[in-house]
């Protein structure tokens, strides 16, 4: 069993005397079911688990009246021999709640009743084709928590990196002191492994247990196929082929020098009017993240974002790599990537920042000047340049030379090097990106 950060969030939720039913929302197979069942096992005397995808009989309980008493009576008649229903001691788990829209509506009445804590999971709650099926979303009577695949820090925990090592890295980062060579090299190795494995728990478990990259790849391929199956199952008939085309175009979109997402790359002559809804579907499913261009390099980034100019990254770096030519994993682990390495490591940083809860922004001018990412860091707009090796950052140098024009006072370079500083530019190894928490 892996240690996941979501357990801390669930513990905070349980301590709140005014807690409402909570839904863990995220992409398929990111660990939601295991998280809620394991948390419930640790914290409740009795647990009722209902999987609406597997047990269609349970849906009948939510037909007609949604009064809490009637629902508990229906569930007890269906599962009574398997679990005791004791107020304030029994936890209800509704897994794959998107398969029973009436159960989502019923959360309001279970919340008002307040006798049973309710933990739910949902994979496609925001996508077109699901929302229309919900009689009434219980606004104000549920909490929705985004859950992601394992992040780099959780990957380190899974690979046996101790708290002492992470504390040491934090100390080096805060004091801007180079990391010991042995630790530095081990972290570089783990980052490359994370780049190809990603954070899907089943995939991470296979890697930790066997280090068999062929089996890792096959698991990732199965997840990609499952996503395609979801498109067929849940998308409206008119959207199915468009969504699939958008999804499969992502590796090619990132291969361009200007990685701005272009609908014409999805299909010749493609336009936003044809594909915008399809791309939104994939984003709502938690599979991708958008990174918006900004009109200026100033805070607030949200306010300066250009809604119609953006890049698209896979939410999980391992899944992106698995969509590339088979054998790419080996090339990355051996450091043999050529032109596409920039796309891979940009997506890696988008993965790290996105799983931290950061929205993604970049800056590009028609002249070609481009900053890979912009973040709010220590109260200032801060450019982040990502280098797969130790290359120069020409655009960053230009921006730093003209503070009167770009209003940039500090910057960070992430690359294959140790900690250092050159004036207002802090250089960090790529594996330290997850430590950039301060806003």
């Amino acid at each position: 069993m892996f240690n996941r950060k979501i357990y801390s969030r669930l513990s905070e939720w349980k301590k709140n005397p005014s807690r409402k039913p909570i839904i863990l929302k995220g992409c398929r197979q990111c660990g939601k079911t295991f998280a809620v069942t394991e948390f419930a096992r640790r914290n409740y005397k009795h647990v009722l688990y209902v999987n609406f995808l597997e047990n269609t009989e349970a849906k009948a309980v939510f037909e007609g009246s949604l009064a809490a008493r009637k629902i508990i009576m229906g569930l007890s008649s269906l599962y009574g021999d398997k679990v005791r229903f004791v107020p304030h001691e029994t936890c209800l788990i509704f897994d794959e709640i998107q398969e029973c829209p009436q159960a989502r509506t019923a959360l309001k009445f279970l919340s008002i009743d307040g006798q049973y804590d309710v933990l739910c999971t949902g994979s496609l709650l925001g996508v077109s084709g699901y929302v229309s099926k919900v009689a009434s979303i219980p606004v104000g009577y549920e909490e929705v928590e985004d859950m992601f695949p394992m992040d780099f820090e959780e990957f380190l925990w899974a690979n046996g990196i101790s708290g002492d090592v992470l504390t040491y890295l934090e100390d080096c980062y805060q004091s801007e002191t180079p990391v010991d060579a042995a630790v530095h090299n081990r972290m570089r190795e783990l980052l490359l492994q994370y780049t190809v494995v990603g954070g899907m728990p089943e995939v991470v478990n296979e890697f930790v247990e066997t280090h068999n990259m062929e089996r890792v790849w096959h698991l990732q391929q199965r997840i990609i196929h499952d996503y395609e199956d979801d498109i067929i199952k849940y998308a409206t008939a008119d959207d199915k082929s468009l969504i699939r085309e958008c999804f499969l175009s992502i590796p090619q979109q990132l291969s361009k020098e200007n990685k701005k997402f272009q609908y014409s790359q999805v299909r010749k002559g493609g336009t936003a009017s044809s594909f915008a809804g399809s791309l939104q579907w994939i984003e709502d499913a938690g599979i991708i993240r958008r990174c918006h261009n900004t009109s200026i390099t100033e805070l607030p980034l949200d306010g300066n974002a250009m809604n119609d100019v953006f890049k698209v990254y896979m939410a999980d770096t391992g899944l992106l790599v698995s969509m590339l030519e088979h054998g790419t994993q080996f090339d990355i682990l051996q450091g043999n990537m050529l032109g596409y390495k920039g796309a891979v490591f940009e997506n890696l940083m988008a993965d790290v920042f996105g799983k931290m809860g950061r929205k993604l922004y970049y800056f590009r001018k028609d002249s070609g000047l481009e900053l890979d990412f912009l973040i709010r860091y220590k109260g200032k707009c801060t450019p982040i340049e990502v280098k797969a090796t130790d290359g120069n950052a020409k655009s960053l140098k230009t921006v730093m030379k003209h503070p009167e024009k770009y209003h940039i006072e500090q910057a960070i370079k992430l690359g294959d090097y140790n900690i250092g500083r050159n004036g207002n530019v802090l250089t960090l190894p790529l594996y330290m990106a997850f430590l950039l928490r301060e806003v």
Side-chain angles (χ1 to χ4, degrees):
M1 182 194 71
F2 296 132
N3 188 15
R4 300 295 306 271
K5 295 176 181 178
I6 194 65
Y7 293 130
S8 296
R9 171 66 185 97
L10 292 174
S11 295
E12 292 173 7
W13 167 79
K14 192 175 187 304
K15 291 175 184 176
N16 182 359
S18 302
R19 61 187 173 275
K20 304 164 185 175
I22 189 169
I23 301 176
L24 296 192
K25 171 189 170 188
C27 64
R28 288 242 186 239
Q29 303 183 50
C30 68
K32 301 182 298 296
T33 299
F34 188 88
V36 295
T37 54
E38 180 63 19
F39 179 81
R41 184 189 67 78
R42 295 183 197 174
N43 290 278
Y44 295 90
K45 291 183 179 179
H46 311 287
V47 179
L48 171 67
Y49 174 78
V50 181
N51 186 316
F52 290 114
L53 190 61
E54 296 177 353
N55 189 347
T56 56
E57 291 181 357
K59 297 179 184 180
V61 173
F62 298 88
E63 295 176 356
S65 171
L66 295 178
R69 185 175 179 181
K70 180 254 185 183
I71 291 171
I72 297 303
M73 187 184 306
L75 291 173
S76 63
S77 65
L78 193 60
Y79 295 97
D81 59 333
K82 298 179 181 178
V83 65
R84 291 183 61 197
F85 287 80
V86 181
H88 310 294
E89 293 184 3
T90 300
C91 174
L92 310 180
I93 295 176
F94 296 157
D95 200 7
E96 304 286 4
I97 197 171
Q98 77 278 353
E99 297 292 331
C100 185
Q102 286 297 106
R104 174 110 183 251
T105 303
L107 295 182
K108 173 180 178 178
F109 306 101
L110 291 169
S111 178
I112 293 172
D113 180 67
Q115 294 192 76
Y116 300 93
D117 284 351
V118 186
L119 291 161
C120 311
T121 74
S123 299
L124 297 162
L125 295 179
V127 303
S128 173
Y130 165 76
V131 175
S132 60
K133 298 178 183 178
V134 184
S136 175
I137 292 177
V139 178
Y141 294 95
E142 66 176 19
E143 299 180 38
V144 179
E145 184 75 18
D146 287 322
M147 184 173 175
F148 307 115
M150 296 172 70
D151 64 23
F152 181 55
E153 187 172 16
E154 290 171 324
F155 181 81
L156 294 179
W157 297 342
N159 281 275
I161 299 301
S162 68
D164 288 342
V165 172
L166 294 176
T167 299
Y168 167 69
L169 291 176
E170 179 81 35
D171 290 343
C172 291
Y173 160 68
Q174 293 291 349
S175 63
E176 300 183 8
T177 303
V179 178
D180 173 78
V183 176
H184 178 65
N185 289 332
R186 175 59 175 148
M187 295 302 297
R188 291 171 63 232
E189 179 184 45
L190 283 165
L191 184 75
L192 290 177
Q193 292 170 357
Y194 178 74
T195 303
V196 300
V197 173
M200 292 297 179
E202 185 180 7
V203 178
V204 174
N205 184 67
E206 183 65 41
F207 173 75
V208 171
E209 292 292 326
T210 69
H211 283 76
N212 185 320
M213 295 309 299
E214 186 70 15
R215 287 162 70 171
V216 163
W217 181 81
H218 280 292
L219 283 175
Q220 291 170 326
Q221 287 293 295
R222 194 200 70 206
I223 293 172
I224 293 294
H225 292 318
D226 286 348
Y227 285 170
E228 294 182 32
D229 289 344
D230 280 342
I231 294 170
I232 294 171
K233 181 176 181 180
Y234 291 99
T236 60
D238 292 341
D239 290 340
K240 293 181 192 295
S241 63
L242 301 180
I243 294 171
R244 187 173 185 275
E245 286 181 74
C246 266
F247 176 51
L248 295 178
S249 79
I250 293 171
Q252 288 74 38
Q253 299 276 356
L254 291 174
S255 70
K256 308 190 306 293
E257 178 66 25
N258 178 1
K259 296 177 179 59
K260 170 190 169 184
F261 189 89
Q262 296 175 314
Y263 294 104
S264 59
Q265 289 286 117
V266 179
R267 181 191 294 175
K268 187 175 182 180
T271 62
S273 61
S274 301
F275 286 99
S278 303
L279 189 65
Q280 187 66 51
W281 196 99
I282 307 169
E283 183 177 26
D284 290 341
I287 299 171
I288 63 169
R289 288 193 181 88
R290 296 191 205 212
C291 180
H292 286 276
N293 195 5
T294 61
S295 55
I296 54 177
T297 51
E298 297 177 11
L299 300 178
L301 295 170
D302 232 358
N304 294 318
M306 302 160 63
N307 289 331
D308 58 344
V309 183
F310 53 86
K311 303 177 188 179
V312 170
Y313 295 108
M314 287 291 289
D316 185 76
T317 177
L319 294 185
L320 170 70
V321 173
S322 75
M323 294 173 73
L324 304 175
E325 178 183 335
H326 191 35
T328 302
Q329 297 93 326
F330 179 78
D331 292 337
I332 292 173
L333 292 173
Q334 297 299 312
N336 293 334
M337 290 290 286
L338 296 176
Y340 202 83
K341 65 186 176 185
V344 169
F345 284 93
E346 273 190 40
N347 202 110
L348 170 64
M349 291 300 104
D351 170 305
V352 172
F353 291 144
K355 290 174 182 175
M356 292 169 68
R358 285 189 178 276
K359 293 183 179 180
L360 303 180
Y361 304 97
Y362 74 107
F363 180 71
R364 181 182 173 90
K365 296 178 65 175
D366 292 339
S367 64
L369 183 145
E370 181 170 347
L371 303 173
D372 295 329
F373 295 99
L374 294 177
I375 66 171
R376 176 189 284 270
Y377 178 69
K378 297 186 177 181
K380 298 177 181 178
C381 178
T382 305
I384 305 289
E385 279 294 285
V386 178
K387 296 296 177 185
T389 57
D390 58 354
N392 292 321
K394 295 179 181 178
S395 292
L396 183 61
K397 288 181 178 179
T398 299
V399 168
M400 297 303 291
K401 285 180 180 179
H402 298 281
E404 77 290 346
K405 182 177 181 181
Y406 296 102
H407 307 111
I408 293 296
E409 300 177 22
Q410 61 185 20
I412 297 171
K413 285 175 60 178
L414 295 169
D416 189 24
Y417 30 62
N418 214 316
I419 299 175
R421 176 175 285 280
N422 182 6
N424 292 334
V425 179
L426 173 65
T427 59
L428 295 173
L430 286 161
Y431 62 75
M432 277 194 171
F434 78 98
L435 296 176
L436 298 173
R437 306 184 187 100
E438 191 173 348
V439 296

